[in-house]
C-alpha cells in the first residue's frame, strides 16, 4: 500500500476540513443527547446548606463525648425539621432536634445520629448511649461544589447525569450544537425499495436504514434519502438535490473500480473537491471524502460491513466534530479473541465481533462474515476487532484491540 493514506492521516484530513456548525439555545428538557456548547457553572453551593444524610436527631457531637451504654447523655427534644424546612433558630447547648434525610441542620448542630439508635424517653428527652463524632451524617454546605465553580466544559454530550446537573444549577435553557442535517443516497442498479419484492438480480436497499440509525446515534437528522441507479445523470441530480438541504451527504456504493462506479465522476461534475479516494484499510479501501464549500461528502463502499467501518472511522468523527464534541472517536478497549481470525496485511482490518464479559474478562467473538457484506452474520456485532496492518493472523486466546460500536 505504498503511498496509500493510513487511517489516521485520512481522519486528520477529514477533521481538518470540518467547520463546526452553529449553536442554538433550547429548552433544557430537550437537551439530552445533544452536544453541550456552553460552560456549566454552579450558581449556588451544593449542598446549599449543611444537609442531614439520615433520619434521626441533630445535636452538638461534643456533648455526647461521655456517653456509655449505662450512662446515657440526656438531651432535650425540641421539635423537628423536615426536608424543605429551614430552621431559623440556633440549637442551644443540651438540645436535640428531630431531623429528616435531606433537611438542613440548624446552626449549632454538627452531628446527626440515626433514628434507629436513638431512645426517646417518656418525657420527650433524647438518650444517647454512645459518643457521636462531630460531622457524623451531615454533608457540609458546598461539600460537592461551591458557587461559581466551573463544572463542565463545552463539547460534552448531554447524558442523563449531565441533564440532572444542568437542572440542579438552573439551566432551564441550554446552548447546544445545531443538529447536522444529513442526506443519504444509496447507489446501485441492483437496489429496490424495502417495500418491494426484489426481482431477479436485485436486492433490497438496507444501507439507508443502517446509515439512518448510525446518523441518529451520532446526533444527526436524516433530511432526505434516495436510491439511484448506476447512472451518471441520475447520480448528479440526486447529489445536487441532496446538497441543497444537507450539511453532510453520505453516499453508499459506486466507489470501487467497477464500470458502473459513478460516484466520483458525479461528485466532480457537481463541483465537489475530492480529498481522498482510497485508504489503507480493510474493508472500506475505496472510501471517498469530498467537500463542496462547507458541505461534507462521504462516498462509502456499498457492502454493509464496509459502510459501517467507513462510517464509524470517518463520517461519525466528522459529525461529532461538526457538533463541537470533544470526544469524536468511538471508545476502544482490549479483549481476548475467542477464535482465530485473519488480517489483511498491509492494510489494517476491522472485523465484526460480539463483545461479552465473562468472569470479569472482556472476550470478543469474531462473527461470520463473507469478506464483503453479510448482514445475517454481523447482526450481533457490538464491536469491531482491529487487526493491525502487519498482522496476518490473530490466534484464539490473544489479546486484541476492539472499537466499541454504539448500540
Ligand atoms: P458497490 O460498492 O456499489 O460495488 O457495492 C458492493 C456491494 O454492496 C453490492 O454488490 C451490494 O451487494 C451491496 N450493496 C450496495 N449498496 C447496498 C445497499 N444500499 N443496501 C444493501 N446492500 C448494498
Ligand atoms: Mg454498486
Amino acid at each position: 500500500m505504498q503511498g496509500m493514506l493510513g487511517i489516521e492521516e485520512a481522519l486528520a484530513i477529514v477533521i481538518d476540513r470540518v467547520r463546526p456548525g452553529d449553536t442554538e439555545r433550547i429548552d433544557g428538557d430537550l437537551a439530552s443527547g445533544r452536544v453541550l456548547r456552553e460552560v456549566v457553572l454552579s450558581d449556588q453551593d451544593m449542598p446549599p446548606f449543611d444537609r442531614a444524610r439520615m433520619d434521626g436527631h441533630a445535636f452538638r457531637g461534643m456533648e455526647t463525648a461521655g456517653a456509655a451504654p449505662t450512662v446515657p447523655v440526656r438531651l432535650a427534644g425540641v421539635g423537628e425539621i423536615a426536608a424543605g424546612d429551614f430552621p431559623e433558630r440556633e440549637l442551644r447547648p443540651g438540645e436535640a432536634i428531630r431531623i429528616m434525610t435531606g433537611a438542613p441542620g440548624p446552626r449549632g448542630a454538627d452531628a446527626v445520629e440515626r433514628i434507629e439508635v436513638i431512645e426517646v424517653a417518656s418525657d420527650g428527652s433524647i438518650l444517647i448511649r454512645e459518643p457521636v463524632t462531630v460531622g457524623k451524617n451531615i454533608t457540609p454546605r458546598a461539600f460537592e461544589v461551591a458557587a461559581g465553580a466551573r463544572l463542565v466544559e463545552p463539547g460534552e454530550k448531554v447524558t442523563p447525569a449531565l441533564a440532572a446537573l444542568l437542572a440542579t444549577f438552573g439551566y432551564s435553557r441550554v446552548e447546544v450544537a445545531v443538529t447536522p442535517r444529513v442526506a443519504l443516497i444509496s447507489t446501485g442498479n441492483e437496489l429496490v425499495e424495502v417495500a418491494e419484492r426484489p426481482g431477479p438480480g436485485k436486492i433490497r436497499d438496507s444501507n439507508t436504514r443502517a446509515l439512518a440509525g448510525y446518523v441518529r446515534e451520532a446526533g444527526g437528522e436524516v433530511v432526505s434519502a434516495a436510491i439511484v441507479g448506476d447512472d451518471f445523470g441520475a447520480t448528479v441530480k440526486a447529489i445536487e438535490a441532496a446538497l441543497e438541504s444537507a450539511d453532510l451527504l453520505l453516499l453508499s456504493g459506486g466507489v470501487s473500480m467497477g464500470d458502473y462506479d459513478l460516484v466520483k465522476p458525479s461528485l466532480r461534475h457537481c463541483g465537489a473537491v475530492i480529498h481522498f479516494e482510497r485508504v489503507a484499510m480493510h474493508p472500506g479501501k475505496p472510501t471517498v471524502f469530498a467537500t463542496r464549500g462547507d458541505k461534507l461528502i462521504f462516498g462509502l463502499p456499498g457492502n454493509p460491513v464496509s459502510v459501517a467501518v467507513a462510517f464509524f472511522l470517518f463520517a461519525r468523527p466528522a459529525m461529532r466534530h461538526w457538533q463541537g464534541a470533544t470526544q469524536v472517536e468511538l471508545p476502544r478497549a482490549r479483549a481476548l479473541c475467542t477464535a482465530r481470525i485473519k488480517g489483511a496485511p498491509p492494510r489494517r482490518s476491522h472485523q465484526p465481533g460480539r463483545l461479552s464479559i465473562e468472569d470479569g474478562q472482556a472476550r470478543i467473538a469474531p462473527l461470520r462474515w463473507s469478506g464483503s457484506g453479510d448482514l445475517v452474520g454481523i447482526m450481533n456485532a457490538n464491536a469491531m476487532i482491529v487487526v493491525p496492518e502487519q498482522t496476518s493472523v490473530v490466534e484464539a486466546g490473544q489479546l486484541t484491540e476492539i472499537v466499541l460500536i454504539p448500540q
Side-chain angles (χ1 to χ4, degrees):
M1 297 300 116
Q2 222 83 58
M4 198 182 297
L5 274 184
I7 291 172
E8 282 77 17
E9 293 167 276
L11 178 58
I13 289 171
V14 170
I15 295 299
D16 195 48
R17 295 282 162 181
V18 176
R19 199 178 66 83
D22 291 334
T23 67
E24 60 181 336
R25 253 188 129 58
I26 61 167
D27 191 323
D29 290 332
L30 302 176
S32 270
R34 305 288 292 270
V35 176
L36 180 74
R37 291 290 294 272
E38 66 178 315
V39 175
V40 180
L41 301 169
S42 58
D43 71 337
Q44 56 173 321
D45 292 342
M46 194 51 59
F49 41 76
D50 296 339
R51 184 167 61 191
R53 277 201 300 274
M54 294 281 176
D55 289 327
H57 281 81
F59 44 81
R60 289 172 158 74
M62 282 304 293
E63 294 179 349
T64 66
T70 49
V71 237
V73 166
R74 184 179 291 264
L75 300 171
V78 292
E80 67 164 46
I81 310 164
D85 291 348
F86 191 81
E88 297 296 345
R89 175 168 106 55
E90 181 170 355
L91 198 74
R92 293 192 197 98
E95 290 180 345
I97 190 163
R98 175 99 168 84
I99 194 164
M100 316 300 164
T101 304
R107 273 176 301 123
D110 56 22
V112 168
E113 185 52 287
R114 289 180 299 133
I115 192 78
E116 292 87 341
V117 294
I118 294 265
E119 269 174 67
V120 183
S122 50
D123 66 353
S125 59
I126 308 302
L127 302 184
I128 313 269
R129 294 183 187 273
E130 224 178 86
V132 178
T133 48
V134 169
K136 186 175 182 185
N137 292 329
I138 290 188
T139 303
R141 175 173 182 162
F143 178 78
E144 292 172 33
V145 68
R150 227 177 141 94
L151 297 176
V152 184
E153 296 301 315
E156 291 296 316
K157 179 176 172 173
V158 181
T159 59
L162 179 45
L165 193 76
L166 289 163
T168 294
F169 294 108
Y171 286 75
S172 57
R173 295 181 72 74
V174 182
E175 192 83 14
V176 296
V178 159
T179 299
R181 293 164 302 173
V182 181
L184 305 177
I185 300 176
S186 281
T187 73
N189 282 341
E190 73 275 32
L191 303 177
V192 301
E193 301 277 355
V194 176
E196 281 177 55
R197 180 148 196 99
K202 309 287 185 192
I203 57 168
R204 293 194 180 97
D205 165 29
S206 63
N207 286 347
T208 297
R209 290 240 183 126
L211 283 170
Y214 299 154
V215 162
R216 273 182 216 115
E217 183 283 327
E221 181 198 355
V222 175
V223 290
S224 68
I227 297 178
V228 292
D230 295 308
D231 175 88
F232 180 76
T235 308
V236 165
K237 231 176 114 187
I239 292 171
E240 284 296 352
L243 287 178
E244 237 165 68
S245 55
D247 304 301
L248 210 117
L249 167 59
L250 302 177
L251 298 115
S252 74
V255 288
S256 37
M257 290 297 171
D259 292 342
Y260 295 98
D261 291 330
L262 298 164
V263 164
K264 283 182 276 181
S266 305
L267 285 173
R268 287 197 187 93
H269 184 84
C270 293
V273 179
I274 295 180
H275 302 288
F276 61 75
E277 52 191 276
R278 262 150 52 101
V279 183
M281 60 191 270
H282 161 267
K285 184 170 87 170
T287 298
V288 173
F289 171 58
T291 51
R292 194 175 81 177
D294 287 338
K295 311 224 165 179
L296 307 169
I297 305 167
F298 290 90
L300 312 171
N303 78 67
V305 178
S306 307
V307 163
V309 171
F311 180 86
F312 290 137
L313 294 184
F314 303 115
R316 188 181 184 281
M319 287 181 64
R320 299 306 290 167
H321 191 58
W322 192 95
Q323 293 168 84
T326 317
Q327 176 65 42
V328 302
E329 288 191 67
L330 289 172
R332 287 163 191 262
R334 296 184 79 76
L336 279 187
C337 199
T338 63
R340 181 178 210 264
I341 49 166
K342 291 194 180 131
R347 289 182 283 157
R348 189 184 305 166
S349 179
H350 292 84
Q351 308 195 22
R354 178 83 193 165
L355 173 71
S356 62
I357 312 284
E358 282 162 43
D359 302 328
Q361 169 68 56
R363 287 169 201 278
I364 185 79
L367 297 173
R368 179 180 67 85
W369 68 307
S370 58
S372 51
D374 187 339
L375 275 173
V376 181
I378 64 165
M379 197 189 72
N380 289 318
N382 57 3
M384 301 190 290
I385 309 172
V386 182
V387 184
E389 24 284 80
Q390 303 309 335
T391 304
S392 33
V393 172
V394 175
E395 298 291 351
Q398 244 177 277
L399 208 53
T400 187
E401 185 183 21
I402 60 172
V403 180
L404 302 177
I405 298 177
Q407 296 295 298

